[in-house]
Amino acid sequence: MENSTNGVTLESGVIANPRYSKLLDVHRYSEHSAVSHLVKPIWHRCFGQPENAVSRRGGVKPKASGVTQLRTIILDLYMAWATDPDLSVAVTMNNTAWKAGSRYNKIGMSRQSPRVISRLHELGYIDLAAGSYAGPGAVTNRTTRIRAAEPLRRLFRDAEFGPQHVLTHPEKENIILRGAETSQRNLEYADTPETERMREDLRAYNRLLQRTFIDVPDQEQQFIERPIKSGYRAGEMTRVPVCGFDNFVHRVFNRNDWHCGGRFYGGWWQGVGSEFRKRIHINGQPTVEVDFEAIHVAILASQYGVVLESDPYVLDDGFVDGLDPLEQRKLVKTLVLIALNAPFKSKACTAFRNNASTGSMAKSMTNKELFRVMDAFVEKHPFMAGDLCADRGIALMNKDSRIAAHILRVFTRHQIPVLSVHDSFIIDYSMARRLKVGMGAAAIAALG
C-alpha cells in the first residue's frame, strides 16, 4: 500500500508481532537543533500551517502545543527504531486516557496526541496495528501499536542526532503510586516530605546514570532474545532491549499504600539474566554483582530474633525426587518466594506452576507435592509458619526497597554508580568490598 503527499511517496507496512512492544514514553525530549529540523517538515506535511490546525475547538488550551506532542511521539518512535526496527510502541487512542494535568505527564500530552498519531498513519509515516478488546480480563486485549514506517525510517537514518541526544524530561515523575493489583493504574497523590525526599534522591541518581556509560562491550545488537516463562505466550522467544541510553529509574508503590512495594525499576539490566549481567561494564570497567542471600527470609528471621545458621533454601539431598541439590535448592527458593506473595497455599501452587518453564518437572508438580516441600521448609524454619501463604511479599519488598534506597543514596553522594536489581547490586569490580560494607550498613540503617 502506498500514499502520496506533496510529491513524496509514502509506504506502509504491517506490524507482524504487535506484542513485541514498549509503552509510549510521554517524556521524550531533546534540545538538539536537528530534531526540530526533522519534526517541522513532518508537521507541515501532516497539518500545514499554522500550528493550531489541530488544536481543540473551544475548551481549555492544551498544555503542550501540537508540535511539541508530535516531537515527543517522533522521538519515542526514533528510540524504538534505534533499539530494534521491529520494536513497536504501545499507545492508547482513547481520548479520555490522555490527562494533560497528571503528575505522570509533565510535558502535557493531551487528546491531540491520538489525532497526531492518526494523521501520521494516514500519510504513511507510521505502521499501525489497531488495538483489540475481547472482554474484561481477556489475555488478547491490547492497546494500539505504532512503529516508524519506511519514510520515517529514511528520515531517522539521515538524522544528524543520535540516541544520546534524546533525553528524559527532567521533571518526569519517578515516584509512582499504583492502585489495586488488578488494575495497576497510576494514582494521583498529595506530596509529603517523604515523597519529596525520595524524588530528589532519585533525581540525583538518574543524573548520575545519565553521565555513566553502561554497556556490554562484546554485545553487537541492541537486544537479546529470552524465552517468556509464564502466561499464554510461555515458551515463545521475545527480544529484550539492552545497552541503551534509556536508564531512567523510578520507584513503584502498590495498593495505594506507601508501605507496599517501593522497589526500583527502569534499568535495562533488570530485564536480562544473571549470566548476561556478568558481562556488563560501567565506564569501561568490568563489574561484579553482589546480592543479599535469601533477603526476605533473612528479614523475617531478624524480626523474630532468629539467626540463620545456613542457606535456608537447602533441604536434605534427594528430598524432591529427580533433582540434584542445586536444582532442588532452586525449586525450594522459587516456591518459598511465591508462597510469601500468595494469600493461600493453593494459589501459591498455581502461581508456581504458571511460573515454571514449559516441559519442566516443576510444571507438572501437584499441590500435594508442593505442600510437602513447603511443610519441610517450615519444619526447618518454624518461625516462617505464619508468613508463608499470608501475603507477606508486598511488605517485604517495601523493606528491601528501603535498603536499596539507602545504598543508592550513599553511593550517589560519592558519585559512584551502582545498578540495582532489587536484592542485588552491580558495581565496578574494584569497589566490591566497599559495596558489601555499604550493604551491611544499609540493612542496619533501614531495618534497625
Side-chain angles (χ1 to χ4, degrees):
M1 176 180 175
E2 294 184 347
N3 296 308
S4 179
T5 178
N6 291 345
V8 178
T9 300
L10 303 174
E11 303 170 349
S12 63
V14 176
I15 298 177
N17 181 14
R19 292 286 175 185
Y20 177 48
S21 63
K22 59 173 284 300
L23 290 174
L24 175 70
D25 188 339
V26 296
H27 292 91
R28 297 288 193 194
Y29 93 111
S30 177
E31 298 176 349
H32 200 288
S33 60
V35 173
S36 293
H37 295 157
L38 184 148
V39 171
K40 286 185 177 179
I42 296 175
W43 171 269
H44 181 75
R45 292 188 182 114
C46 286
F47 303 107
Q49 296 293 344
E51 179 187 316
N52 62 11
V54 295
S55 63
R56 292 179 60 195
R57 297 176 181 176
V60 179
K61 182 179 179 181
K63 182 178 178 182
S65 68
V67 167
T68 297
Q69 296 186 56
L70 173 65
R71 181 187 299 114
T72 302
I73 294 167
I74 293 294
L75 285 175
D76 204 44
L77 287 167
Y78 171 78
M79 291 300 287
W81 169 81
T83 299
D84 181 359
D86 289 334
L87 181 65
S88 57
V89 176
V91 298
T92 177
M93 300 299 282
N94 184 345
N95 284 338
T96 61
W98 298 82
K99 299 178 180 178
S102 169
R103 68 164 57 244
Y104 304 107
N105 183 8
K106 292 297 185 180
I107 286 180
M109 304 289 282
S110 73
R111 61 184 58 191
Q112 286 189 17
S113 292
R115 298 173 68 184
V116 169
I117 291 168
S118 295
R119 189 61 177 153
L120 288 170
H121 182 234
E122 288 172 6
L123 297 184
Y125 282 109
I126 62 173
D127 303 325
L128 183 148
S132 62
Y133 181 78
V139 295
T140 55
N141 291 348
R142 62 169 173 79
T143 55
T144 295
R145 302 298 197 262
I146 60 175
R147 187 182 64 192
E150 182 54 31
L152 190 53
R153 295 183 187 200
R154 285 199 296 268
L155 296 177
F156 289 165
R157 285 191 287 267
D158 294 338
E160 296 180 359
F161 61 90
Q164 69 273 23
H165 300 118
V166 181
L167 309 175
T168 296
H169 193 281
E171 297 299 313
K172 180 178 180 178
E173 184 58 74
N174 56 39
I175 304 298
I176 297 173
L177 180 64
R178 288 187 176 157
E181 292 181 359
T182 53
S183 69
Q184 291 293 298
R185 184 169 60 89
N186 291 350
L187 303 179
E188 303 293 336
Y189 59 87
D191 272 316
T192 66
E194 177 64 11
T195 61
E196 291 174 350
R197 184 190 65 78
M198 291 190 294
R199 183 177 299 110
E200 288 308 311
D201 284 348
L202 260 181
R203 283 179 177 170
Y205 178 64
N206 280 319
R207 287 194 294 268
L208 175 60
L209 289 183
Q210 279 189 342
R211 302 191 298 272
T212 303
F213 184 51
I214 308 164
D215 78 325
V216 178
D218 59 352
Q219 178 68 21
E220 295 182 359
Q221 295 178 306
Q222 288 288 92
F223 59 84
I224 60 172
E225 292 193 339
R226 299 193 72 198
I228 298 173
K229 291 186 176 181
S230 60
Y232 77 100
R233 296 179 61 208
E236 293 182 23
M237 299 299 291
T238 187
R239 291 177 176 178
V240 179
V242 298
C243 304
F245 294 93
D246 185 18
N247 297 324
F248 180 85
V249 172
H250 57 278
R251 295 184 73 176
V252 178
F253 293 84
N254 306 98
R255 301 182 185 178
N256 195 18
D257 188 339
W258 296 109
H259 296 95
C260 291
R263 280 183 160 182
F264 295 78
Y265 297 93
W268 59 261
W269 48 87
Q270 294 182 340
V272 300
S274 58
E275 288 302 311
F276 187 86
R277 288 199 293 269
K278 291 178 181 177
R279 298 158 51 197
I280 291 176
H281 283 50
I282 295 178
N283 291 330
Q285 296 299 312
T287 61
V288 64
E289 182 172 355
V290 184
D291 70 341
F292 284 105
E293 184 176 356
I295 187 170
H296 286 177
V297 177
I299 290 172
L300 289 170
S302 70
Q303 290 179 354
Y304 294 117
V306 174
V307 177
L308 293 175
E309 300 290 351
S310 60
D311 186 336
Y313 300 128
V314 173
L315 300 181
D316 293 339
D317 289 356
F319 184 83
V320 180
D321 291 338
L323 297 182
D324 64 35
L326 288 177
E327 292 171 332
Q328 178 176 284
R329 181 194 180 277
K330 182 178 180 182
L331 182 147
V332 173
K333 177 182 178 180
T334 302
L335 179 59
V336 169
L337 293 179
I338 289 175
L340 283 170
N341 285 280
F344 44 86
K345 292 180 79 171
S346 60
K347 191 164 185 178
C349 296
T350 300
F352 175 82
R353 286 188 290 268
N354 289 341
N355 182 73
S357 301
T358 302
S360 66
M361 188 194 78
K363 197 76 169 177
S364 60
M365 290 184 74
T366 65
N367 283 13
K368 183 178 179 180
E369 291 171 325
L370 295 173
F371 289 169
R372 178 172 173 265
V373 175
M374 283 188 269
D375 290 343
F377 178 83
V378 171
E379 183 178 351
K380 182 180 178 182
H381 307 290
F383 70 91
M384 293 284 294
D387 295 297
L388 286 189
C389 305
D391 194 24
R392 297 283 192 265
I394 197 75
L396 290 169
M397 290 179 191
N398 182 258
K399 292 182 178 181
D400 72 44
S401 78
R402 283 154 50 193
I403 296 173
H406 190 278
I407 293 168
L408 298 185
R409 183 187 313 120
V410 169
F411 279 84
T412 297
R413 286 173 180 170
H414 291 88
Q415 296 298 292
I416 301 172
V418 176
L419 312 182
S420 171
V421 194
H422 305 319
D423 62 349
S424 67
F425 303 87
I426 302 169
I427 196 169
D428 179 330
Y429 78 100
S430 66
M431 297 185 182
R433 180 170 179 78
R434 185 170 181 175
L435 173 61
K436 291 178 181 179
V437 172
M439 289 167 65
I444 294 172
L447 304 179

